[in-house]
Amino acid sequence: MRQIGIGIAGLGTVGAGVYKHLAQNRALLTERVGAELVVRRAVVRDVNKPRVAGPPPGELTTRWQDLIDDPAVDIVVELMGGIDEPLALINAAIDAGKVVVTGNKALLAEHGREIFARAAGKKVPVFFEASTAGGIPIIKTIREALIANHIVSIHGIINGTSNYILTRMTDAGLDFSTALAEAQAQGYAEADPTLDINGWDAAHKAIILASLAYGFWVETGNIFVEGIDKLTATDIRFAGELGYRVKLLAIIKADAGPENGGGVEVRVHPTLIPKTHVLASVSGVFNAVRVCGDVVGETLFYGRGAGQDPTASAVISDLAEAAVALNGERRCYGFTPHGLYGTCRPLEGIRSRYYLRLAVDDRPGVLAQVAGILGHNEIGISSVVQPETHDEAGRAQLVLMLDRASHRQMQTALDEILRLGCVMPPAALLRVESFGAE
Ligand code: NAP
Ligand code: HSE
């Protein structure tokens, strides 16, 4: 049986999982791939660290260059995390003609354009299924299974850590830091969980999905990103009472109608989703991605979005494809640019519905002043709730559900509202998604 040599850079949560499952399912994989996938070397920071899964100590190294120099390594798997060293490793692997597999979404979001240009130039494929939505095969789906479609929209819950935290806060009443500690213990969070919390891990994945769907590399500076770090239990509760669940949602749309000014809209933020919508029921570490195509219509993909085993499943699917790629020419080396779209829509023009909560003085005329400002900014109010309870400072909570307005309109109105003497900053402003039903 032919053997294919693999060099793994990184034996942490994901790398160890890949090693473990390659060993566990060796016979099945060998039959399906038609060759045996053999790990020849692994790169780690500390060769003396005790490990539950990994090659014998003699095959460990701290130098990624050893993977490039080893003629027995055909495929380089980058699972270290970080930017500079993985970039140097992947570039060196491409230049050496070694097929690349990576799960590093931060690296692809920031350097995808140059990595894929280099890969196409050298005709060396780069696979990255594990970069987005853990075990859900969403990369292959968008790039291959939905090739017949113009993608109309993608809605994704694509950060397992933040979905886990929101679920535990909502359903079990945990505080934020306890829920985060649980997610870290399960291996869901990034080495630096800031990216999970501030929305940027989901944003990196949204960039990858949008770039695949629309054929131009979306720049990090062109998207709107807000994390769950400023979300309060009060707003989760009010949203629940109004019939919504709050999810960190990636929204990607290409509605080129004149009202929207053309271009592709890419944003990630906490979002109120109607409880009746299927995405509202996606809990814990689970991810879900809803893709609408002009030919296929609506599709939905669901699965574990982080953690050792689902991510290893995605990496090994890439390894199987990489093994086949070693045999010859390919149509695609990871990402195929095309010229249909090409721009991101500026944030100011992006329109959505809103949830707005204000702490206000409880006296006559306050609601009228707020409503007046919204009115002259042409923002309609669809409902208002003012519970009879007050906050610790004796202020009333005013919760307004607002009709569709642009980001610019909403910001202008909010600035004016916060200048009213009767309103106590900060306000809580969240977007509402109705999935095309607006
Ligand atoms: P991790 O648990 O922190 O493991 C990182 C591994 O890389 C460790 O084995 C570490 O060595 C090694 N490493 C890090 N920097 C190194 C360097 N400069 N030189 C040599 N070795 C180095 O990370 P992870 O959670 O497995 O994530 C790995 C990658 O997969 C990241 O890009 C992440 O974004 C991505 N990813 C993670 C998940 C997930 O659920 N965790 C899911 C999808 C994608 P030591 O063991 O000696 O410390
Ligand atoms: N930290 C990431 C998450 C890992 O929680 O979704 C999977 O990419």
Side-chain angles (χ1 to χ4, degrees):
M1 179 62 75
R2 186 168 66 105
Q3 290 195 332
I4 291 177
I6 294 168
I8 302 185
L11 275 183
T13 302
V14 184
V18 170
Y19 189 88
K20 180 178 78 179
H21 290 291
L22 279 175
Q24 263 174 17
N25 288 354
R26 180 178 312 283
L28 175 76
L29 282 163
T30 304
E31 280 197 88
R32 286 185 172 164
V33 173
E36 193 182 357
L37 301 170
V38 182
V39 177
R40 307 272 190 213
R41 303 199 81 141
V43 184
V44 290
R45 243 184 318 233
D46 176 3
V47 290
N48 297 314
K49 197 183 209 177
R51 298 179 191 277
V52 258
E59 292 170 16
L60 297 182
T61 171
T62 55
R63 295 179 70 253
W64 58 256
Q65 292 84 352
D66 290 344
L67 303 188
I68 308 299
D69 296 341
D70 187 342
V73 169
D74 304 300
I75 303 170
V76 169
V77 185
E78 185 282 302
L79 296 168
M80 292 191 289
I83 300 289
D84 295 339
E85 296 220 57
L87 180 60
L89 166 61
I90 288 175
N91 283 341
I94 293 171
D95 291 348
K98 295 179 193 261
V99 179
V100 173
V101 174
T102 179
N104 193 331
K105 53 265 165 151
L107 176 67
L108 293 179
E110 286 182 29
H111 296 282
R113 185 200 300 273
E114 64 199 77
I115 289 172
F116 290 115
R118 193 181 199 108
K122 299 275 182 182
K123 294 195 180 318
V124 176
V126 174
F127 297 97
F128 50 101
E129 188 60 69
S131 68
T132 304
I136 304 175
I138 195 66
I139 301 295
K140 290 182 183 66
T141 297
I142 291 182
R143 191 177 51 205
E144 294 161 26
L146 297 180
I147 196 168
N149 292 261
H150 291 96
I151 303 298
V152 178
S153 63
I154 301 175
H155 290 85
I157 294 172
I158 49 178
N159 181 264
T161 301
S162 57
N163 202 43
Y164 184 88
I165 292 172
L166 289 178
T167 304
R168 298 288 284 154
M169 285 174 74
T170 308
D171 295 349
L174 292 194
D175 62 41
F176 185 90
S177 45
T178 309
L180 170 60
E182 282 188 4
Q184 287 176 296
Q186 306 270 358
Y188 303 154
E190 295 303 299
D192 175 1
T194 313
L195 296 178
D196 295 301
I197 306 311
N198 69 12
W200 272 99
D201 178 78
H204 291 148
K205 295 165 181 169
I207 285 172
I208 293 170
L209 293 180
S211 300
L212 284 179
Y214 295 111
F216 69 100
W217 206 262
V218 170
E219 302 294 337
T220 49
N222 284 342
I223 69 174
F224 175 67
V225 184
E226 212 175 79
I228 60 166
D229 39 0
K230 295 188 193 70
L231 197 61
T232 65
T234 306
D235 293 308
I236 293 177
R237 182 168 49 78
F238 274 129
E241 287 168 13
L242 290 163
Y244 296 89
R245 276 185 89 108
V246 184
K247 295 286 179 192
L248 185 72
L249 194 67
I251 300 175
I252 303 165
K253 289 181 187 169
D255 177 358
E259 181 206 355
N260 296 308
V264 176
E265 164 180 334
V266 185
R267 51 193 167 109
V268 172
H269 47 69
T271 307
L272 270 65
I273 297 179
K275 278 183 186 169
T276 49
H277 193 274
V278 63
L279 286 182
S281 63
V282 176
S283 295
V285 73
F286 279 84
N287 281 193
V289 187
R290 172 188 185 265
V291 186
C292 287
D294 63 346
V295 181
V296 71
E298 186 175 333
T299 61
L300 184 69
F301 305 89
Y302 173 81
R304 284 177 201 277
Q308 184 165 72
D309 296 340
T311 314
S313 167
V315 172
I316 294 173
S317 81
D318 277 351
L319 282 173
E321 226 191 313
V324 174
L326 284 169
N327 282 336
E329 278 275 312
R330 293 180 58 81
R331 177 181 56 79
C332 166
Y333 294 93
F335 162 71
T336 309
H338 52 80
L340 215 54
Y341 299 90
T343 56
C344 279
R345 190 177 303 156
L347 170 65
E348 286 66 31
I350 290 178
R351 295 168 65 80
S352 66
R353 293 175 59 223
Y354 294 90
Y355 158 103
L356 175 64
R357 179 175 58 83
L358 303 167
V360 298
D361 292 344
D362 193 3
R363 59 180 164 79
V366 168
L367 177 56
Q369 288 183 65
V370 171
I373 292 174
L374 291 167
H376 91 212
N377 281 286
E378 300 189 353
I379 301 173
I381 300 172
S382 56
S383 73
V384 183
V385 180
Q386 185 185 329
E388 289 189 359
T389 50
H390 293 73
D391 66 15
E392 319 77 60
R395 293 200 176 77
Q397 301 293 311
L398 205 54
V399 180
L400 300 107
M401 298 299 290
L402 304 176
D403 294 340
R404 264 162 73 83
S406 70
H407 179 84
R408 186 187 293 115
Q409 267 175 297
M410 194 62 238
Q411 284 307 317
T412 308
L414 188 57
D415 288 348
E416 286 180 41
I417 288 170
L418 291 177
R419 283 199 295 272
L420 292 173
C422 55
V423 175
M424 182 67 186
L429 182 69
L430 297 169
R431 289 165 178 77
V432 183
E433 185 66 23
S434 310
F435 303 92
E438 302 99 326

